[in-house]
Amino acid sequence: MTGKKPIDAVGGKWWRAEGDHWSFLFARIALHSFIVLVVTGAFLTFFYDPDMSRTTYDGSYAPLRGIEVSRAYDSTLHLSLEVRGGLLMRQIHHWAALIFIAAICCQLLRMFFTGAFRRPRRLNWLIWAGMLPLAMAAGVTGTVLPDDMLSGGSLGLIQGITQSIPVIGTDLAFLLFGDGIPGDDIIPRMYWAHIVLIPVVIAVLFPARRLLVRRFGHTRFRDAVPGRYGRLRSAALLLYTCGVLALLGTLVQVNPIWLYGPFEPGAISAGAVPGWYMGFLDGAVRIMPGWEIDVAGHPITLAVLVPAIIVPGAFFTALAAYPWIEERITGDRRLHHVLDRPRDHAFRTGLGAAGVTFYGLLWAAAANDQIADTFHLSLFAVTAFFRVAVLAGPVLAFVITRWMCLALVAREREEAVHGYETGRIVMSADGAYSEIHAPVRHDGGAVTEQAELRS
């Protein structure tokens, strides 16, 4: 590297490519979704009132007319059903939050499987790994604001998780909720965290990530054709993202709070599930056995502490620290600017597949009651299956994925020596049949597209 120029050169020119592969679009989609979130959120703040004082609903939705509700719920109903474009903005805002978190997850997966987290981009990995729980926290704090039945369910889960923390759990719950639970303090506090604290931190992380990209240059795949992303293409992707979110907000209903009704302590909503990004937490709580131990006269509820605090905490800590963990294990301290093919690092790819499987099984376990009801199965049998699968599934996924990667690499080696099968059969002069093998071309030591397409 010379000065602050991007590292790596192709054809004598410094590499400044960005967006030369479809997987590089995830970061852009995350940024554009965040922009939509900020714009729609600014619109919603003009009509939403985080006041928890009681009022009588007299709006246009007849089934709830005359019911005593909070001003937060009343303002959300007014925004949804009586403000021109209000429901559309709410739904676009909600869908943008879901897409935002999904894009961050895809970006992390792309970086993990291709080795984009290694030196000198470990700080870039930390930014994305930190942005994921921030985005999830933004989604949760936004979910509780309408003060509907889903909001109450989320607050109940937050309360249980907070109180399960040993020694300080009760004090933390008091600081968070105030005198009563859920009380009148929690939603105003969540409101300011949702519209100010979390967005400001995320807004700082995006330019920080951009500065790192400018400092070290963009990664690339081996033998990729250099190119620039360009402002025109970036603007086009922004418009495309906005268009897709507008279509989702227009055509796909999400979070119809008038159907859920206002939150009532002691009541529950049948069939209610959290946002997809929090499904793993709900699933972990559902399948965890109801264990509780007593330490020095203090009960510790493992049934909540382990799945809601320890497992997510260990997962996000390992996620953030993985670049240093792999560097310590492999001893590889070199600078990397060319991305890996997942098959060339079988252990890492298998580990990633195991993590995805673990998350997916916990996510599916959040619907154990729905699965049991739909397929006419015993709820206890479904829960027992997930308890076994969440432990055995990741191991099986690791073994199978690693074996597939090693098999693909071994086949490439064989094709490099003997050529690849063309499917053309010829007969020799003595009547014997054989298949023609065409040689595999190489470019700079890498198998070219011809062999890649076959794999």
Side-chain angles (χ1 to χ4, degrees), residues 84-434:
R84 187 180 298 274
L87 180 58
L88 177 62
M89 284 295 182
R90 269 197 66 228
Q91 299 209 144
I92 291 177
H93 188 76
H94 199 116
W95 276 111
L98 299 178
I99 299 299
F100 176 56
I101 300 173
I104 294 175
C105 291
C106 291
Q107 172 71 3
L108 285 169
L109 288 174
R110 196 273 295 176
M111 295 179 69
F112 182 85
F113 284 115
T114 61
F117 54 82
R118 296 171 298 180
R119 287 175 179 258
R121 296 173 179 84
R122 295 180 299 183
L123 186 55
N124 189 26
W125 169 264
L126 274 181
I127 288 176
W128 285 110
M131 202 179 297
L132 178 58
L134 283 173
M136 295 170 66
V140 172
T141 53
T143 300
V144 304
L145 296 184
D147 193 34
D148 61 338
M149 287 301 297
L150 281 183
S151 169
S154 298
L155 289 177
L157 182 60
I158 294 173
Q159 171 199 349
I161 293 173
T162 304
Q163 292 180 332
S164 71
I165 302 175
V167 183
I168 62 173
T170 303
D171 294 331
L172 284 178
F174 175 77
L175 290 175
L176 188 62
F177 288 90
D179 293 334
I181 295 179
D184 296 337
D185 298 328
I186 183 63
I187 286 185
R189 292 171 180 175
M190 291 286 190
Y191 173 73
W192 291 111
H194 181 72
I195 71 167
V196 177
L197 180 61
I198 300 175
V200 167
V201 177
I202 295 176
V204 170
L205 291 179
F206 272 115
R209 176 255 173 190
R210 186 61 187 171
L211 288 175
L212 290 174
V213 172
R214 292 178 63 86
R215 174 66 175 84
F216 298 109
H218 209 282
T219 54
R220 65 178 178 88
F221 287 97
R222 190 180 301 276
D223 302 325
V225 179
R228 293 181 64 87
Y229 196 88
R231 293 182 179 179
L232 184 60
R233 292 175 63 187
S234 179
L237 182 61
L238 172 60
L239 294 176
Y240 181 80
T241 304
C242 293
V244 171
L245 291 174
L247 284 175
L248 288 172
T250 303
L251 302 176
V252 185
Q253 179 175 269
V254 61
N255 198 19
I257 64 166
W258 54 91
L259 298 180
Y260 302 149
F263 173 63
E264 297 179 8
I268 60 173
S269 294
V273 294
W276 73 265
Y277 50 90
M278 295 300 294
F280 79 100
L281 188 62
D282 188 18
V285 172
R286 289 188 183 210
I287 65 175
M288 179 69 187
W291 295 341
E292 184 173 299
I293 61 176
D294 188 86
V295 178
H298 298 279
I300 298 179
T301 308
L302 298 179
V304 179
L305 179 65
V306 171
I309 299 293
I310 296 178
V311 171
F315 175 79
F316 284 112
T317 301
L319 184 70
Y322 186 81
W324 289 268
I325 295 174
E326 182 175 291
E327 181 181 292
R328 184 66 179 270
I329 294 175
T330 62
D332 184 3
R333 301 181 183 275
R334 298 172 297 166
L335 299 180
H336 295 271
H337 309 290
V338 178
L339 298 175
D340 299 325
R341 294 187 310 167
R343 71 182 66 177
D344 293 329
H345 291 265
F347 183 86
R348 181 203 300 155
T349 304
L351 193 64
V356 172
T357 302
F358 180 72
Y359 177 89
L361 287 170
L362 289 180
W363 183 80
N368 62 343
D369 54 343
Q370 302 283 345
I371 295 173
D373 180 68
T374 302
F375 297 99
H376 306 289
L377 301 172
S378 167
L379 178 61
F380 298 102
V382 174
T383 303
F385 166 78
F386 279 113
R387 287 175 177 172
V388 175
V390 80
L391 298 177
V395 177
L396 187 62
F398 173 82
V399 172
I400 294 176
T401 303
R402 182 175 179 274
W403 171 78
M404 291 176 63
C405 291
L406 295 175
L408 288 171
V409 172
R411 190 181 72 172
E412 285 183 344
R413 291 200 195 99
E414 183 180 354
E415 288 181 343
V417 176
H418 303 287
Y420 70 92
E421 300 174 355
T422 63
R424 291 183 294 164
I425 308 297
V426 297
M427 183 178 65
S428 63
D430 58 358
Y433 290 91
S434 62

Side-chain angles (χ1 to χ4, degrees), residues 15-32:
W15 181 268
R16 296 289 300 186
E18 183 178 0
D20 64 335
H21 191 269
W22 62 268
S23 62
F24 291 165
L25 297 180
F26 294 136
R28 290 281 177 169
I29 293 173
L31 173 60
H32 298 159

